[in-house]
Amino acid sequence: MAGRERVVRMSVEQPLWRALTAYRVLTFVYAALLAGFGREKYERPWVAVAFLAFLALWTLITLPRVANAASCTKRFLGLDLTVALTGILLTPLADLDAQHSDGPTLPSIWTAGSVLAFALKGGWRWAAFASTLVAAANIVERGEPSEDTFHNVLLVWVASIAIGYVVEVARASERTLARALEIEAATRERERLARDIHDSVLQVLAMVQRRGTALGGEAAELGRMAGEQEVALRTLVSSGLVPTSRLSEDSAEGAVVRVTDTDVTPDAESDLRTLLAAHAGARTTFAEPGAPVMLAAHAARELAAAVSAALDNVRVHAGPEARAWILVEDEPDEVIVTVRDDGPGIPEGRLDQAEGEGRLGVALSIRGRLRDLGGTAELISVSGQGTEVELKVPKVPRGKAGSAR
C-alpha cells in the first residue's frame, strides 16, 4: 500500500432491495395463478383480469424503482401502496362472495411487498403507517372480518415493523463502521507520516545536535536549537496533530515534499536482497539466500526501511564500535529478516520510556511498518548481551484480496 488506503464498502441493506425486487415478481406470479385457478368464483372476471393486467405492467415497469433506496421515492411509495389498496378494495367487485369467505384478495401477498418497500425506505415508522392502511383496507374489504383476517393483518403489521427496525439498526451500524474505518485509515496515514519524519528530519536534527555539542562554540548553539526543534517535532508527531498526507525527503535538495495517491504507481515485485545489500560493510555482515527473495515492491521497501531503522538504532545506542549482522530467510509463506548486534543491549523498560518521550523509532519505524504489512516485529534484548530484532512479513500482503490499495 504505497498511497492512502482505500476501502470499498457496500451498503448492508442493498441485498434487501434485491430480495424485494424478486419478491414482487414472484408474488405477482402467485396472485395471477390464484386468480387463474379460482376464475370460476368470479361473478365479474373482467374486473380481476383488468386489475391483474395492470398489476403485471406496474410490477415490470417499477422494478428499477425498488432496486435501491435512492430510486424508491416517497411519490413512488404512495402510488405503489395505492395500487395495492385498490386491488384489495376491488376484490368484492369481482367476487361478490368475498366478504363472506376467507379467500385471497386480488393482489394477494403482493401487497406485502409494497409495505416492505416502506420499511426498507423509512424504517419501522413508515412500515407501521403502510401496514395500518393495508389492515384497514382488508377489514373494509371483508365487511365482517374473521379471525383469520385479523391474524393475517396482525402478521403483516408485526413483520413489516420488525423489518423496518432491523433496517434502522443496520444503517446505524453501517454508519458506525464507516466512521471507524475512516478513523483507522487516518491513524495509519498519520503513523506513516510519523515514520517518514523519524527516518529523515528527526534523525538529521539529532545528528546536528550531537555534532554541534561536540564541536562547541557557535556550533553548540546551532546544536541546541536543533535539539529544541527535535523535541517540538517529536511532541507534534506524538500528539497526532500532524496532517494526513505523507512526507518524503528529497535527496537532491534536502527539502520535504508531499506525496499523494497520484504520485505512486502500482507495485511490482522486488528482490529484497538488492535493497539490503547496501547495508553490508566493515561492521555489518549481510547473509542472504542464493536465490532472489521476491516481495511486492512496497512490502520490500517498507521491510528494508525497518531494517535501516534497526541499524540506525545500533549505530546510535550500541556505539560506533558495535558490530551488526543481517540474516535473510526466505520461507514458503513469509520472509524473515533478523538484525542482531553485539552492543550493550536495551535496559528493561527503556522502550516504553522512549515511546512515552516521543521517541518512536521502534514503535513506528519498525513495528508500525511491519504491522501495516500484516507482519510482526519481535525485539529480544538482554542487558550486556546485545539486541536482536526479528522481522517477519507474509508473502501475500494483508488485504490484497479484499481492499483496494
Side-chain angles (χ1 to χ4, degrees):
M1 183 177 60
R4 180 173 299 178
E5 182 174 356
R6 290 174 288 271
V7 180
V8 179
R9 296 189 299 270
M10 185 184 73
S11 172
V12 294
E13 64 184 80
Q14 192 57 41
L16 297 177
W17 287 104
R18 288 198 295 266
L20 178 61
T21 301
Y23 178 88
R24 287 168 67 91
V25 174
L26 293 176
T27 52
F28 166 75
V29 173
Y30 178 74
L33 290 175
L34 282 180
F37 288 125
R39 59 185 179 277
E40 67 279 353
K41 72 176 182 179
Y42 292 113
E43 287 77 7
R44 300 186 181 94
W46 61 270
V47 175
V49 171
F51 174 77
L52 289 174
F54 174 78
L55 187 61
L57 181 62
W58 177 258
T59 301
L60 291 176
I61 65 175
T62 58
L63 287 181
R65 288 287 192 173
V66 291
N68 52 67
S71 58
C72 190
T73 62
K74 292 181 180 180
R75 183 172 181 272
F76 164 74
L77 288 174
L79 293 174
D80 196 58
L81 185 60
T82 300
V83 171
L85 297 177
T86 301
I88 294 172
L89 297 176
L90 282 178
T91 302
L93 185 61
D95 180 9
L96 299 180
D97 292 330
Q99 293 185 339
H100 305 290
S101 67
D102 289 324
T105 60
L106 288 177
S108 184
I109 58 176
W110 184 93
T111 304
S114 180
V115 176
L116 291 176
F118 271 82
L120 294 182
K121 177 68 176 181
W124 70 269
R125 293 175 180 83
W126 288 30
F129 169 76
S131 58
T132 299
L133 292 181
V134 170
N138 273 281
I139 293 174
V140 170
E141 181 265 335
R142 293 300 179 191
E144 297 179 359
S146 64
E147 182 178 345
D148 286 341
T149 300
F150 280 114
H151 174 76
N152 293 334
V153 165
L154 182 62
L155 181 63
V156 172
W157 195 71
V158 172
S160 61
I161 291 178
I163 292 175
Y165 178 75
V166 169
V167 170
E168 289 186 1
V169 172
R171 285 174 178 161
S173 300
E174 185 179 20
R175 288 192 297 269
T176 302
L177 176 61
R179 179 57 181 162
L181 290 174
E182 291 174 1
I183 293 174
E184 181 186 11
T187 300
R188 290 186 180 276
E189 190 70 14
R190 188 175 294 116
E191 288 181 355
R192 285 193 294 272
L193 171 60
R195 288 196 298 266
D196 290 337
I197 292 176
H198 176 272
D199 293 346
S200 56
V201 182
L202 290 179
Q203 296 284 13
V204 172
L205 290 175
M207 183 186 69
V208 172
Q209 181 188 19
R210 290 195 300 270
R211 293 290 294 166
T213 302
L215 292 174
E218 294 184 359
E221 178 63 16
L222 179 61
R224 184 189 64 78
M225 295 174 62
E228 292 176 353
Q229 294 304 310
E230 180 194 3
V231 172
L233 187 53
R234 287 187 189 276
T235 302
L236 181 63
V237 170
S238 301
S239 67
L241 298 177
V242 291
T244 57
S245 58
R246 292 199 309 124
L247 299 180
S248 68
E249 189 176 12
D250 180 15
S251 58
E253 301 295 335
V256 176
V257 296
R258 295 192 179 273
V259 178
T260 62
D261 286 342
T262 58
D263 299 320
V264 297
T265 56
D267 285 335
E269 284 194 334
S270 295
D271 185 358
L272 181 64
R273 302 179 309 167
T274 303
L275 299 177
L276 297 182
H279 295 299
R283 295 196 171 275
T284 302
T285 302
F286 177 49
E288 57 182 311
V293 181
M294 304 306 296
L295 280 175
H298 171 66
R301 290 194 302 268
E302 289 292 277
L303 181 53
V307 172
S308 179
L311 292 174
D312 285 341
N313 287 335
V314 173
R315 286 189 289 269
V316 173
H317 301 294
E321 301 301 320
R323 291 187 56 84
W325 291 265
I326 305 172
L327 172 63
V328 179
E329 300 174 79
D330 190 6
E331 300 293 339
D333 299 325
E334 63 183 359
V335 174
I336 304 175
V337 179
T338 304
V339 180
R340 184 169 60 86
D341 66 68
D342 61 356
I346 303 175
E348 185 177 355
R350 176 56 185 151
L351 290 179
D352 294 335
Q353 179 185 354
E355 187 170 348
E357 295 172 353
R359 300 181 180 276
L360 306 177
V362 173
L364 291 179
S365 291
I366 300 178
R367 287 177 179 158
R369 277 191 166 94
L370 272 293
R371 184 188 63 241
D372 286 352
L373 296 175
T376 60
E378 182 178 357
L379 189 146
I380 303 172
S381 181
V382 178
S383 182
Q385 299 182 24
T387 302
E388 180 177 300
V389 180
E390 186 179 70
L391 312 173
K392 295 182 179 181
V393 175
K395 290 188 175 179
V396 180
R398 181 185 59 185
K400 185 177 182 180
S403 300
R405 293 178 184 266

